[in-house]
Amino acid sequence: MQPTSSKKTPLTFDTIAPGQGLAAALKKSRADIIGEVSASNLRGRGGAGFPTGTKWNLAAAAQGQDGGAKYVVCNADEGEPGTFKDRVLLLEYTDLVFEGMTIAARAIGATKGILYLRGEYVYMRPHLDGVLAARRTAGQLGANILGTTGFTFDIDIRMGAGAYVCGEETALIESLEGHRGEPRNRPPFPVNTGFLGQPTVVNNVETLASVSAILAKGAAWFRAIGTEKSAGFKLFSVSGDCGAPGVYEFPLGITVAALLEKVGGTGAKAVQIGGASGVCVPASEFGRRIAFEDLATGGSIIVFGQGRDMLHVAKNFMEFFVEESCGQCTPCRAGNAKLLEGIEMLERGACSSAYLRELLNLCETMQLASKCGLGQSSPNAFVSIVTHFQDEILGRTAAAH
Amino acid sequence: MSGEVKAGADTSRAPSSQKIQQVHVGGDVMQLIGGQITVTIDGTDVKVPMGTTVLDAARRVGVRIPTLCHHPDLCVAGVCRVCVVEVEGQRALQAACAFPITSSLKVKTHTRKVRQARRHILDLLLSTHYGECYSCKRNNNCELQALAKEYGVDFYRFGHVTESQVPKDESSYSVVRDMDKCILCRRCVRTCIDIQEVGVLEAVGRSNKTRISTFLDKPLGDVVCINCGQCINRCPTGALHAADTSDEVWRAIDDPTKHVVIQTAPSPRAGIGECFGCEPGTPMTYQMNTALKLAGFDKVFDTNFSADLTIIEEGTELLGRLHKALVKGEPVAFPQFTSCSPGWVKYLEHFYPEYIPNLSSAKSPQQMFGAVIKTYYAKANNIDPKDIVTVALMPCSAKKFECNRPEMADSGFKDVDYGLTTREMAQMIKEAGIHLPDMPKGDFDDPFGTATGSGVIFGATGGVMEAALRTVIEFVCGVKVEKLFDHANIVPVRGFEGVKYVELPIANVSPEVPAIIRHLIPSFDFLKGATLKVAVAHGTANARRVMEDIKAGGKFSECHFIEFMGCPGGCIGGGGQPIPTSPEIRAARARAIYEEDAECAVRKSHENPSSTASSSPTAPAAT
Ligand SMILES: Cc1cc2nc3c(=O)[nH]c(=O)nc-3n(C[C@H](O)[C@H](O)[C@H](O)COP(=O)(O)O)c2cc1C
Ligand code: SF4
Ligand code: SF4
Ligand code: SF4
Ligand code: SF4
Ligand code: FES
């Protein structure tokens, strides 16, 4: 059973015919493919925003152990609360995603691709398997792809088991290898030592679909959209207190206010940009831009209306992290629990402002000393809500006294 | 000569997140690997090989960076985060233990951010750490406690648990798990899976519910734990410790009706000094004899005596097996495996039960000694064996399990009543008000005080093999070992290489068969021109390499005799030895042991005057 599409705007991807990007790529040398992607200024759509061309260059230069294989992994774990845009791509633009993987494989010299699919998306399996089969029949996967001698590549689908941290690329790789989903030490990075110790590129679903579009229409076309530092268009998963939640496409650089207008969210009290690990922006800052140079996001936008209790919002996020931390490193394992405890103290009016200051310092430690992005970003919501809505939160403390 | 198989991260079952990961880089950088690179640490430049961690580089310039999850024997984990430092150009702090240097970095190790992070991490660890230092086995030898002091922790910033959250697991004869004190550094997990390849311990649960667990949370006594105690030796806190029976021993000493006899193994004497502030490798053999008497033991014997018995047993058994196989054509299990390490024996029982017939039928020295005390010694001294309490001072936690095995009661009594570790004995000696290094030297008691150098070297990996070879070679060849090996030092079987393999051609055999085995073997002629193939492995990860090779019909399957020790380095690295441990510390202890051997007047087991007197008590299979 497929849910009805949650698309609220037409997508640029509608204008890209499947096959176009791959055909264009196969006419280029491997270095030129990477050159095109680099020239487009495409940055990873999974949240961290790492330049895709740079990542591919590193993987292309890396040497596998004993001449072993290289891998392309599509990160379809989409676990960030409030994110559901990859779902649309996987269901409705499937070919563009697989094509992006194939282009990546060509560029870095990989022979094997893996789609790491969020456990809850298991219902997509028949569809995805069908598309893969069709691509094999069409010679777009397998040996000597589209007549390109020596270019052999195929894609496997592997299911995640529901842990948010497994969206972190090194935890994802651990999980693929059959271990507990726990992030690795970095460096070394997956581009050098990834799946089974081999050079591996991990890219988000949307990044890969964008690659197909870029190869089809050219780097210059892509770069013309968005801002100087944040090229291109981006999908947004919009939810919360707004008239029309759903999946939208906007050019990067759009202001929060403009976005709210399009989604029927004007008059909001605050907007959480980037999901649970993102930051909470108060109305006074709605003029800020959604772009890597200001408010970076993997695409999750959660709108909070005037009636929302911001401490409750913060609590929700902290509960999520206390549930989802892998428990490996001290700051995140114990820190998130302390922050949640602090919120509960605030609720009861039992948190002194001195202790609140200690907790904000602890947030800094977590952001700096945690092993992976989860612990490094989990305090973001707490910090931004406590700073921007101090009066509301502390007023409550006073009221409780 | 040397073994080709070695324990390594490549074959380990540990998840990659818990293993050293190699950096594979292409192009120009490749040429730099193996090259030197300059890093600046707190303003001081230091040249280090590419790939050196920031932690190691800092150590070179004398900058101390605190650690908790890092251990010199283990692969990198990078989980406690107490070692974080500021690396110029990086937004986040980096774990010094896990950060390989591949470019010229500028590192600062005590900025505001770093100090705050370290302090917070300690505060967080202490917030969930339930334990009181003064009632803790690791008081004054605890890495958490030491860091709390070093960082001036004077209050619990994020609170503190005030009651126990997890009941102690005291199901094992050897290892107690007190998870209230666990800081989740996972050193035990890495030890068990990487060094020992047993894999009993694993992190389960997530977030603040993460804990170290056994298979299905079963008590440690019910899982495949081999009792080696290697996890204890590498735990930074008191969360793991040996099951201590020193109170029972004191009770026996205090009981005037009991005759309390202690045997002391070779390795504790090479290690116990460390508990009294001595440098590793400071031998305490004779000081300990005096101290044990002062503490109240009635007799102090040398386990090396029964080690000599073990050697004669295992040596003759080997010759017997060879004779059976080569002359009589009877089916015999080969290679013969040593049986003196109870950790190894349990490992074999769990993982390779089909090879139990390969184990030597000789009892371990500890058990042999116990049996001799409660039979021969009891009779000779006219003491009722039920009034004798035998205590064994061992470097080993598995010996506690071994002496409790139901089959270890040949005398009709429990052969060995209590096994004590080196650490527990140091504690008892301190409790008796004795500063061990100040003790005058004393001798072992007769009649079992006389031991040979061969017994002493049992303590180090390769020692049993060397001792056995000294005896077997002399028996078979009829010439002094010294003629074949300088000073009877059979160097090829020494050293810390994970697996050692040695071939010894037998050119000539003795026309005479020694009386002790003449009933088994009438002549050695069948060995003329043969090549004796032997191997030595220590740590069960290495044992596993050898066993897998044997199963696959590789070169080790053609060996005649293989020494296996459960612990890395052999008994000197045993799970009952002083904490901390490291390759350097174990090497120092081994040196002490080989020095004692070199100083022994008699260095071959079969020349021990006492062992021939008591006639070797043959025992049924040690398993
Ligand atoms: C806790 C955590 C969860 C993540 N979850 C996802 C995810 O669900 N999907 C995703 O594409 N990237 C996720 N990422 C980011 C990935 O680690 C990685 O940066 C990304 O897949 C790289 O692809 P990109 O460069 O194309 O964005 C997550 C990161 C962290 C720290
Ligand atoms: S930051 Fe959190 S999720 Fe990441 S490694 Fe540490 S405990 Fe695990
Ligand atoms: S483990 Fe260390 S800190 Fe904890 S009680 Fe024992 S000595 Fe003290
Ligand atoms: S005693 Fe040995 S086998 Fe048992 S848990 Fe510890 S390391 Fe593993
Ligand atoms: S038991 Fe000890 S070694 Fe194991 S994780 Fe806990 S503190 Fe670390
Ligand atoms: S010692 Fe480096 S992270 Fe634990």
Side-chain angles (χ1 to χ4, degrees), chain B residues 547-608:
Chain B
M547 290 308 298
E548 289 300 318
D549 181 82
I550 291 176
K551 272 175 87 167
K555 79 170 178 189
F556 292 103
S557 65
E558 287 169 17
C559 279
H560 301 105
F561 192 28
I562 305 184
E563 174 201 304
F564 288 104
M565 289 293 155
C567 295
C571 307
I572 43 134
Q577 288 283 68
I579 300 170
T581 185
S582 71
E584 293 74 30
I585 292 174
R586 293 191 294 276
R589 293 176 191 159
R591 262 197 311 281
I593 277 187
Y594 284 113
E595 276 161 23
E596 187 170 335
D597 165 44
E599 284 161 14
C600 279
V602 185
R603 301 188 51 217
K604 285 162 264 175
S605 302
H606 56 283
E607 291 174 359
N608 186 334

Side-chain angles (χ1 to χ4, degrees), chain A residues 65 174 177 180 182 185 192-193 322 324-325 328-330 333 338 358 361 364-365 368-369 371 376, chain B residues 15-17 22 24 26 77-81 91 93 112 116 120 157-158 184 186 203 205-207 210:
Chain A
Q65 293 173 56
E174 283 287 302
E177 290 181 2
R180 240 172 103 83
E182 289 184 338
N185 292 304
N192 284 313
T193 310
V322 169
E324 294 296 337
S325 157
Q328 188 180 192
C329 74
T330 316
R333 178 183 68 238
K338 284 295 153 198
E358 291 280 19
N361 289 339
E364 187 187 21
T365 291
L368 291 172
K371 181 166 176 172
Q376 289 171 4
Chain B
S16 325
S17 63
Q22 284 152 346
H24 300 280
V79 296
C80 75
R81 313 304 287 178
R91 180 198 65 83
L93 301 175
R112 177 194 71 81
Q116 171 181 283
H120 277 161
R157 191 186 313 264
F158 300 120
L184 294 168
R186 304 197 191 180
R206 280 197 287 166
S207 192
T210 308

Side-chain angles (χ1 to χ4, degrees), chain B residues 175 188 191-192 196 198 200-201 220 224-232:
Chain B
V175 182
C188 56
T191 301
C192 197
Q196 297 298 68
V198 178
V200 161
L201 303 172
L220 197 63
V224 295
C225 169
I226 63 168
N227 303 307
C228 65
Q230 291 304 310
C231 50
I232 301 177

